[in-house]
């Protein structure tokens, strides 16, 4: 009979859930301004390489059986590839972004137009917010980031739009300027009353936020800085398959231990603009 010291915990069986995503081909990707610590206009970027890497992510989603919609890229907005910032969608209702930096403000009308044309109940914001970059749905709760981009008043507004509990989390490390760079929701579908599995980088948050996360998600995967620093947490999960950076090797091991199936896609070229897998992926949750 196994003693507690020798018993091996059995990871729960994970289920892959069909997802629907919005993406944008990086046809105009370059770094010609800097609005986050990752962007250095003096460093050369390779648009063809960005397209090739992005295509592998797109193809993998289709291979896994997910639906992927596309929004037309606009030449003047190289960051439009990061569609996660293009809105926040629950139950067929789309909350449109209002970008913090002037360089991205022109993307918002294009996303609003796409949502309307595709049958979403489209809500225009009054407050500064950057969509699913700073709003993540964890079960019935909206985790909402602030500190660098989305303003605190947008947390009140998103609560009013979706009538769900909103938990404010304050980011303090400029490398992790959006919530989706420092925290990922591993279970997009959970039974009512259950807690979604998440993973996060503790020191990306202030002490009060770390306490909230520890209390609400005691079983969360705590990720090391070396995995966070390669945007390992900027990942996409269907509940079983978790697509992550190939450089996040520690996180990959942690996921396997919990019964998830990590799959790697290299988006290193798009990281030059401060984005990764999740940044390129906006979840479209239908009614």
């Amino acid at each position: 009979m196994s003693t507690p010291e020798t018993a091996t915990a059995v990871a729960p069986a994970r289920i892959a859930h069909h997802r629907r995503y919005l993406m944008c081909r990086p046809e105009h990707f370059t770094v010609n301004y800097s609005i986050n610590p990752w962007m250095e206009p003096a460093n050369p970027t390779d648009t063809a390489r960005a397209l090739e890497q992005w295509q592998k992510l797109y193809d993998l989603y289709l291979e896994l059986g997910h639906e992927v919609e596309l929004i037309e890229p606009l030449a003047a907005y190289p960051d439009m590839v990061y569609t996660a910032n293009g809105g926040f969608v629950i139950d067929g209702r789309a909350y449109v972004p209002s970008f913090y930096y002037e360089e991205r403000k022109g993307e918002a009308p294009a996303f609003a137009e796409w949502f309307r044309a595709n049958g979403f109940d489209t809500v225009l914001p009054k407050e500064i917010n950057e969509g699913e970059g700073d709003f993540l749905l964890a079960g019935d709760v909206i985790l909402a980031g602030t500190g660098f981009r989305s303003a605190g008043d947008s947390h009140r507004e998103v609560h009013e739009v979706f009538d769900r509990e909103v938990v404010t989390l304050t980011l303090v490390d400029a490398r992790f300027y959006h919530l989706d760079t420092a925290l990922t929701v591993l279970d997009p579908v959970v039974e009512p009353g259950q807690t979604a599995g998440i993973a996060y980088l503790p020191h990306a948050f202030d002490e009060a936020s770390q306490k909230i996360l520890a209390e609400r998600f005691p079983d969360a995967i705590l990720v090391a800085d070396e995995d966070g620093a390669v945007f390992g947490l900027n990942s996409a999960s269907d509940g079983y398959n978790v697509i992550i950076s190939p450089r996040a090797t520690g996180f990959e091991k942690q996921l396997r231990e919990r019964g998830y199936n990590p799959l790697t896609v290299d988006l290193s070229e798009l990281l030059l603009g401060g984005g990764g897998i999740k940044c390129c992926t906006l979840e479209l949750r239908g009614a």
Side-chain angles (χ1 to χ4, degrees):
M1 188 172 175
S2 296
T3 65
E5 290 75 24
T6 60
T8 302
V10 178
R14 305 291 180 186
I15 298 171
H17 297 273
H18 177 78
R19 314 316 297 153
R20 185 180 177 210
Y21 298 132
L22 179 64
M23 298 181 72
C24 181
R25 288 174 59 80
E27 291 174 6
H28 309 292
F29 177 73
T30 188
V31 176
N32 53 17
Y33 53 79
S34 180
I35 58 173
N36 67 58
W38 304 87
M39 302 178 85
E40 179 43 74
N43 294 337
T45 52
D46 186 335
T47 306
R49 186 161 185 259
L51 273 162
E52 181 185 330
Q53 291 181 344
W54 177 95
Q55 188 69 42
K56 288 179 180 173
L57 178 62
Y58 174 87
D59 290 345
L60 180 54
Y61 285 144
L62 296 184
E63 187 184 319
L64 293 172
H66 303 314
E67 287 177 74
V68 182
E69 308 286 350
L70 293 173
I71 185 170
E72 194 68 25
L74 301 177
Y77 298 98
D79 284 348
M80 202 166 163
V81 62
Y82 306 126
T83 53
N85 309 137
F88 185 48
V89 184
I90 304 175
D91 296 335
R93 171 171 276 204
Y95 177 54
V96 176
S98 173
F99 287 93
Y100 184 84
Y101 284 104
E102 190 65 37
E103 287 87 345
R104 297 197 66 181
K105 287 185 185 296
E107 295 176 39
F111 281 106
E113 184 182 332
W114 189 93
F115 289 130
R116 287 193 200 99
N118 286 274
F120 289 88
D121 175 17
T122 305
V123 180
L124 297 179
K126 295 185 178 71
E127 305 296 340
I128 297 292
N129 83 87
E130 300 206 342
E132 210 169 36
D134 274 330
F135 299 126
L136 296 173
L137 185 62
D140 293 328
V141 176
I142 296 170
L143 302 180
T146 191
F148 296 101
R149 298 292 181 87
S150 298
D153 279 350
S154 67
H155 297 185
R156 173 190 50 76
E157 189 170 67
V158 83
H159 165 69
E160 292 169 357
V161 170
F162 295 109
D163 191 25
R164 291 179 185 240
E165 182 186 5
V166 174
V167 176
T168 292
L169 301 169
T170 303
L171 298 156
V172 293
D173 185 330
R175 294 175 301 164
F176 308 104
Y177 57 93
H178 277 143
L179 182 63
D180 72 354
T181 66
L183 185 151
T184 189
V185 177
L186 297 170
D187 302 322
V189 177
V190 296
E191 294 299 318
Q194 285 193 340
T195 302
I198 71 165
Y200 65 96
L201 178 66
H203 71 251
F205 300 92
D206 69 5
E207 285 188 18
S209 301
Q210 289 183 46
K211 186 179 178 188
I212 290 168
L213 287 167
E215 288 173 354
R216 283 183 172 259
F217 302 96
D219 297 325
I221 296 175
L222 305 184
V223 173
D225 185 76
E226 54 263 34
D227 290 319
V230 293
F231 266 32
L233 282 160
N234 195 248
S235 59
S237 176
D238 62 20
Y240 173 61
N241 303 292
V242 187
I243 306 174
I244 65 169
S245 164
R247 293 186 285 172
T249 54
F251 184 35
E252 181 178 359
K253 183 171 181 288
Q254 289 174 302
L255 287 167
R256 289 195 191 284
E257 288 169 351
R258 296 291 186 98
Y260 296 100
N261 180 42
L263 302 169
T264 61
V265 174
D266 178 20
L267 289 191
S268 53
E269 195 66 25
L270 290 165
L271 184 55
L272 298 175
I277 290 158
K278 179 68 189 79
C279 289
C280 295
T281 310
L282 174 61
E283 179 128 16
L284 300 173
R285 302 176 187 87

